[in-house]
Structure formats: C-alpha cells, structure tokens
Amino acid sequence: MTELKLRLKEENTERMVSVQKDVFTIGRLPECDLYLPFGGVSRCHARVTKTAADVWTIEDLGSKNGTQLNERLVSSPQVLRDGDIVWLGDVTLVVVLVRQLEVFTAFQVETSDTSETGEQRTILHNVKELQQQWIAADSKGGDSNKDTTIARLKDLVDIAKNLCAATSIEEIFSQVQQVVFRYLDSIERLALLIDVNDSGNLEIINAATRRLSQQKHLAADGSWISRSICQKVFAEKVAIQTADTHKDERFASEHSILVKGIRSAMAVPLWDENKVVGVLYADARLSSYHWANEGEEELSFFSALANIVASSVQRWLLAEKLKAEEVIRHRLERYHSPAVVQQLIAVGALPNGRLPPKESEISIVFADIVGFTAMSERISPTEVAQLLNNLFEEMLQEVFTYGGTLDKYIGDCIMAFFGAPEPQPDHAERAVAAAKGMLIRLESLNANNFWSEPLQLRIAINSGKAVVGDVGSSQRVDYTALGATINLAARMEAVCPPGECVISEVTYKMLSDSSDFGEMGHYRFKGINRLVKVYQTKMHQ
C-alpha cells in the first residue's frame, strides 16, 4: 500500500501534509481538506482522488489561475508520481509517495516466528495475555530474575503514584522514558503517539533517545517511526515485537522500514479496558537477539507500563478537551445565546473550534443609533466608548433572549441574525420580537436617564438565504453572514424613521401576525435592480 503526502513550501519553511482520504480537496475555503489561504488560490482549487490501489490523480476544479503539474496546465485528471511538482497560484506542492508496511496481513492474533535454528524473531501478542505475565518470575531465571521483576514492580508502583500528580503530557512521558531506558537496554528510541482528536489518527506527542547527543537528530514529525506497526497495534489492540527486520523475510520488501534503519522494534497499545487511546513505540538500529529468550518478558513489561500510562493519558485528554471546550465556549458566547452555545458543544458541531460556512435561511437585523455622528462630535472618545459598551450590553440581551446570534458591531450599529448556526423555522418572528424588545428597552432606559440625552434606534430586518460560518484568514477568523440578503437589510436601514423598525416584504409574509406593521412604500436601493416593498412598525403611528 502506498501513502500519498504533499510537501507544502511556504516562504522559508516546509511542512508535510498526509492525504488520508480517497477524495481530497485543496483550496482557500476553510472546509477544504487542505486549507491554503494564499494568493492565487481559488476557493475550491483542485481535487486529489484515489482511483485505484496506489494510483492517485489530480484535477483542476475550474480555478481562476489553473493548476499546473510539472509546469503543464492540468486540463483533465492527471496521475501523480513520486517527485511531481504541483503549482496552485503562488503555492508549490511536491508529491511524496511512501510505500507502507503490509507484512502483518498474514499474522494471527497470537503468533511467533522461529528460524531454522530456533531463534525467535517476531512476536505478535494479544495484550490481555501480557498484562500480568511479566510479574511472575521465570523459574529458570533464579533469584536474579526475581530481583529484576520486583524492582520493575516497584518502579511501576512509583510511576503510578507520580502519574496521578502529573499535570502535563511532558511529565507523563518523562516518567515512562526513565523506566524504559533503565530496564530495556536494547531500546535506542522511544515515542508516545496519541489519538488526540478521537479520529483514529495517531499523532506523535513526545519522543526521546537513549543518548542525549542524538536527541536533536530525532525528527519531530515522527518520520523515523514505522507507522504501519503503530497503526496495526492501535487498530487491533495487539502488542508487536520484532528482533531483526533484516532477517525476517516478511520485512524484506518493505522499503520504508529498511530506509528508516529499523532493525528491532516494539509497540504496545495504550488502553484501559475501555478503549485504545494511543501507542507506546520503541525501536533500535541494532538487532535484539536476546529477545529470543527474553522477548516475551520484556514485551509484557512494556505492555504493563503502557496500561498504567493509558489512564494518565485519558485524564490528560479529558483535561485538554475541557480546556478546549472552555475556549470555544468563551468565543461562542460573544456571538450566541447561552442556550445555543450549550447545544453546539453538546452535539459536537465544532471541528477545530470552527463553524464551517454553509447556506442557511436567516433573518438579519441591523440596529443603528440615530444621530450618533453628531453626538460623537460633542463628547470625548472615552464617553463614546462608554456609551456604546453600555448600550450594546442592553440591546444584546434582547438578541440573546430570542436565540439570536451576534454577527458584529459596526461602529454604532449592531448586526445580528436568527436561523443559524442552528436552524430556526420561526427566525423572522424571533428577529421582529428582538427588534421590538430593543425599542421598548431603549424607551425604558431613556425614562431612567440612561444617557445625558434621549437615544433612538433605527432597525431594519430582511429574510432569505445567506452563507453563514467562520470566514477569514489563518490569523483571524470571524463568524459572519454573507450574501444579498444582508446587503438589502443594510440598505433598508437608511429609510427607517427614527425610533422605528422596517422590514422587507419577504419578512412580512413570514410573520404569523403582521398587524404591527403597515406598508411604507416601494424603494429602490443601490446595487439592487428591483423595487423593494418596505413595511414599518405601527408602534408610534
């Protein structure tokens, strides 16, 4: 099996992107599988497709600047080969095809491989049977073996105590590293891989070498690790140990293992009876012939250690999830009512803390302070900020009361909408109720001398289709609504009388009770090639 990777060159840096889907989109939209917010890249620029075993093609999706493969414009799907160069606007992608390890397909859950001389080279074990096996001292080993087992047991007890107090994944790995390098002399490199997002994809979290002088040569991306071994351990909950890949015929054709210089390797799943959360992996550039006699014992110890670590990793993952949810909650509370925030978090609709843009039926509200420009000329900037902060705080309560979403503040204007991110069939009713609530609340505030002079609002509402979601660059993203529906609402605000609310004919027809509104007339607005019928509140008529 061949894995496709794309080496992305960005200014003076490079990063490797794994193509882990049979259909992989590339473009400037955040929902693309490879998000490229760079010059010359179209919204949906190109698509990579796996058409057969180990065959990948690339095609252009009608991009503005086109897609080039090895300096030739892509006009139809083209097969990708190792070393090919793809240009998308100002972005360069280098194709890397990596042959993956496939040697385990013929293995059973419990097997061992023995050469003609009786030398055991590879062990594949069900981890349940390894949990306690190492504790029982080998009778052939005598007192020395018992002493080693007791020492290991004491270390594991100490680790269990220390891990309970560990507050970071670095502390957890440090404990594991010390014990592994103390007892497993043949191991040169150690890595901790975790399924951080519960997606089935292992990420290397930490790694170490026995010799500190070699630590700087340990690639941070984990390219030195046998991903095939780790993925099998993770997916099938088995422990794998191989003493010499060069003398095992099942590894003979595996280019990735030979190139990485792996001679002996050991990997066990991190699990705590409920689920596998990661893999503990170790390897060496030298063969480990002593595993012929001690292999199962060392693999059992390695597996027992992983079981203890798994619980700590689970706690760390939970803590990270809670922290991430708290960050997401604080961000969303700027835009959504508390009820909507709780619903979004509960259903897990926030991949990477983002809401991908999608088309929704909404009602958009613009609320503007009448005469704000003249007012700001008479007061200091500090007083202007104080006025806006206090007024927005009051008005936003009405938006949130009816399940609305704050889009943004535009100077002295509040832009909010109803009907997204969660669909609201009655979004027009909610928008109108919030607008009336704002006008009534402002009357009450004026009666109680909220400001040194009475304030008035102009409010405009329109309903229809819009694209709603997180939009922006890699540095800044805003949750917003875009489209003609929003543009019309913004134009309508200019014809609204002070202290009133105007709505479009579309919104008017969606109301179950429109008796509070009367026809105001037909208007032509800039950029809109039709007459628009506008209705006005009768609150003060």
Side-chain angles (χ1 to χ4, degrees):
M1 183 176 65
T2 300
E3 179 183 3
L4 172 62
K5 294 187 177 183
L6 300 173
R7 183 182 294 117
L8 171 61
K9 296 184 178 180
E10 304 174 77
E11 296 181 352
N12 297 324
T13 62
E14 292 186 2
R15 64 184 173 100
M16 192 74 77
V17 178
S18 294
V19 177
Q20 298 178 338
K21 299 169 63 176
D22 288 352
V23 178
F24 188 86
T25 57
I26 306 172
R28 190 158 43 84
L29 285 179
E31 60 262 37
C32 288
D33 298 307
L34 178 53
Y35 172 46
L36 298 176
F38 305 115
V41 178
S42 297
R43 294 158 62 85
C44 288
H45 198 112
R47 177 169 57 217
V48 173
T49 305
K50 187 174 185 179
T51 59
D54 298 340
V55 178
W56 298 84
T57 63
I58 188 166
E59 61 181 310
D60 186 75
L61 297 178
S63 65
K64 181 178 179 180
N65 296 312
T67 302
Q68 293 185 56
L69 177 62
N70 299 328
E71 299 185 357
R72 289 191 176 184
L73 201 62
V74 174
S75 57
S76 61
Q78 299 294 311
V79 175
L80 293 173
R81 295 177 174 81
D82 190 48
D84 281 351
I85 300 177
V86 179
W87 280 273
L88 300 88
D90 299 332
V91 179
T92 302
L93 300 173
V94 179
V95 176
V96 179
L97 295 175
V98 182
R99 181 173 172 79
Q100 295 296 297
L101 178 63
E102 298 176 359
V103 300
F104 297 113
T105 54
F107 277 44
Q108 301 297 319
V109 173
E110 297 179 28
T111 67
S112 63
D113 179 49
T114 306
S115 68
E116 294 179 357
T117 60
E119 182 182 329
Q120 190 180 53
R121 299 193 187 283
T122 304
I123 300 172
L124 183 70
H125 243 309
N126 185 304
V127 291
K128 287 185 178 181
E129 297 184 359
L130 294 172
Q131 278 189 320
Q132 301 297 326
Q133 184 174 325
W134 67 274
I135 297 178
D138 190 336
S139 59
K140 297 180 180 180
D143 293 336
S144 175
N145 190 57
K146 291 179 180 178
D147 291 341
T148 301
T149 301
I150 292 172
R152 287 179 176 179
L153 179 58
K154 288 180 178 179
D155 268 335
L156 289 185
V157 171
D158 289 339
I159 282 183
K161 290 179 181 178
N162 293 334
L163 289 181
C164 289
T167 58
S168 69
I169 199 68
E170 289 76 19
E171 289 182 49
I172 294 173
F173 184 75
S174 177
Q175 294 286 330
V176 175
Q177 173 187 342
Q178 292 177 36
V179 173
V180 169
F181 288 151
R182 183 182 305 149
Y183 289 114
L184 304 181
D185 295 333
S186 58
I187 295 301
E188 294 179 7
R189 303 180 295 194
L190 177 69
L192 177 64
L193 298 93
I194 297 176
D195 180 14
V196 177
N197 299 314
D198 198 20
S199 61
N201 295 320
L202 292 170
E203 298 179 27
I204 181 167
I205 301 301
N206 222 321
T209 61
R210 180 178 295 277
R211 289 175 290 181
L212 294 177
S213 61
Q214 297 297 318
Q215 187 73 26
K216 63 181 179 180
H217 301 300
L218 204 62
D221 62 358
S223 56
W224 51 276
I225 295 171
S226 172
R227 291 282 178 172
S228 302
I229 291 178
C230 290
Q231 200 58 45
K232 182 173 183 67
V233 166
F234 176 77
E236 300 183 21
K237 199 158 63 177
V238 294
I240 293 175
Q241 181 186 62
T242 177
D244 194 337
T245 58
H246 292 196
K247 293 189 177 181
D248 190 322
E249 61 182 14
R250 287 165 297 192
F251 292 90
S253 62
E254 299 310 317
H255 179 71
S256 62
I257 280 187
L258 299 178
V259 168
K260 292 174 183 178
I262 300 171
R263 291 291 294 269
S264 57
M266 187 158 51
V268 293
L270 300 175
W271 71 296
D272 61 356
E273 301 289 350
N274 296 314
K275 65 179 295 188
V276 179
V277 295
V279 170
L280 193 59
Y281 173 89
D283 69 14
R285 296 181 182 274
L286 299 176
S287 59
S288 297
Y289 291 110
H290 75 282
W291 281 352
N293 298 317
E294 304 172 16
E296 252 185 78
E297 181 186 340
E298 293 199 350
L299 186 61
S300 298
F301 170 69
F302 202 51
S303 182
L305 175 62
N307 289 339
I308 294 175
V309 174
S311 298
S312 296
V313 170
Q314 280 275 40
R315 287 195 300 273
W316 175 76
L317 287 172
L318 178 60
E320 290 297 301
K321 180 181 179 182
L322 292 175
K323 284 194 290 186
E325 284 188 359
E326 192 63 23
V327 171
I328 293 170
R329 183 184 295 277
H330 285 158
R331 176 174 177 267
L332 292 180
E333 283 175 348
R334 295 169 51 200
Y335 306 108
H336 311 294
S337 66
V340 172
V341 171
Q342 186 56 43
Q343 185 176 8
L344 288 171
I345 292 177
V347 299
L350 298 165
N352 300 319
R354 288 191 175 191
L355 289 163
K358 66 177 182 179
E359 190 173 272
S360 304
E361 285 282 345
I362 69 169
S363 288
I364 187 80
V365 178
F366 282 88
D368 198 4
I369 301 175
V370 177
F372 178 76
T373 302
M375 187 185 309
S376 61
E377 293 283 341
R378 302 192 300 270
I379 59 179
S380 69
T382 301
E383 290 175 309
V384 170
Q386 181 183 353
L387 166 61
L388 294 179
N389 286 338
N390 293 339
L391 184 62
F392 288 163
E393 185 70 30
E394 293 285 342
M395 297 302 105
L396 199 58
Q397 289 186 46
E398 296 297 331
V399 174
F400 284 173
T401 294
Y402 294 97
T405 294
L406 172 67
D407 188 305
K408 63 175 70 72
Y409 299 118
I410 311 171
D412 63 316
C413 176
I414 297 173
M415 177 180 171
F417 54 82
F418 297 78
E422 291 299 303
Q424 295 168 327
D426 58 344
H427 53 82
E429 306 273 4
R430 291 170 180 264
V432 169
K436 291 179 180 178
M438 282 191 251
L439 294 175
I440 294 171
R441 181 181 284 260
L442 186 55
E443 283 187 354
S444 176
L445 291 172
N446 286 332
N448 289 285
N449 299 315
F450 172 77
W451 192 246
S452 57
E453 57 186 279
L455 302 175
Q456 289 183 304
L457 290 176
R458 288 191 180 93
I459 304 178
I461 302 174
N462 185 31
S463 303
K465 290 183 178 180
V467 174
V468 183
D470 281 327
V471 176
S473 67
S474 56
Q475 285 76 35
R476 177 180 173 134
V477 173
D478 287 322
Y479 184 72
T480 189
L482 304 170
T485 299
I486 288 81
N487 298 337
L488 176 55
R491 299 279 192 272
M492 287 170 51
E493 189 184 24
V495 303
C496 180
E500 300 291 347
C501 172
V502 295
I503 63 175
S504 68
E505 185 176 17
V506 176
T507 304
Y508 180 82
K509 290 181 177 180
M510 295 179 70
L511 300 178
S512 58
D513 180 7
S514 56
S515 60
D516 288 339
F517 290 87
E519 185 174 334
M520 186 175 171
H522 290 79
Y523 293 83
R524 189 175 296 280
F525 297 103
K526 181 180 179 181
I528 299 172
N529 298 321
R530 60 183 173 85
L531 285 174
V532 178
K533 185 182 286 189
V534 177
Y535 294 80
Q536 174 190 343
T537 49
K538 298 178 181 179
M539 294 176 65
H540 303 108
Q541 292 182 353

